Amino acid sequence: PGTKLDKEFSPGPFDVICHRGRSAFDHVGNRRFRKTIEVNSHRYITAGRGERTLIVLEIVDSFRSLSPQGGFVKRYSSGRETEYWVEIGD
């Protein structure tokens, strides 16, 4: 599913939690991500197809660089193992 993170990992202010629900929606990193998308929406809409890809990559890379241990994360659990976080990658 992705790169498993340390047991001590806890999503920080620049991590985007990829999950449905209020707790993910309200997480500071998710709010920051939505605001970044909003700020760049006009630039994206007026860009050409190739430039749009670059805009998306720029935003994703900026969040990943601000959170070196995480970035875009998801919580998993297995039958025998406790819950753990993974960095979901590209």
Side-chain angles (χ1 to χ4, degrees):
T3 305
K4 191 172 178 179
L5 300 171
D6 294 335
K7 291 179 189 178
E8 298 81 28
F9 176 80
S10 178
F14 292 98
D15 291 310
V16 178
I17 300 173
C18 301
H19 186 73
R20 290 190 220 181
R22 197 72 174 160
S23 62
F25 185 84
D26 289 340
H27 177 69
V28 64
N30 290 51
R31 290 194 317 259
R32 198 170 265 157
F33 184 67
R34 286 193 307 275
K35 185 65 176 176
T36 302
I37 297 300
E38 180 185 322
V39 167
N40 286 280
S41 64
H42 180 72
R43 192 174 87 155
Y44 180 86
I45 291 167
T46 59
R49 188 174 190 185
E51 194 178 350
R52 286 182 177 183
T53 300
L54 295 176
I55 293 167
V56 170
L57 290 173
E58 176 186 310
I59 293 168
V60 169
D61 289 345
S62 73
F63 271 77
R64 285 202 172 122
S65 69
L66 292 168
S67 179
Q69 193 181 27
F72 293 83
V73 298
K74 186 170 185 171
R75 180 179 267 171
Y76 281 94
S77 64
S78 63
R80 290 177 272 166
E81 195 172 340
T82 58
E83 293 184 341
Y84 59 95
W85 290 94
V86 297
E87 203 288 323
I88 62 169
D90 294 330

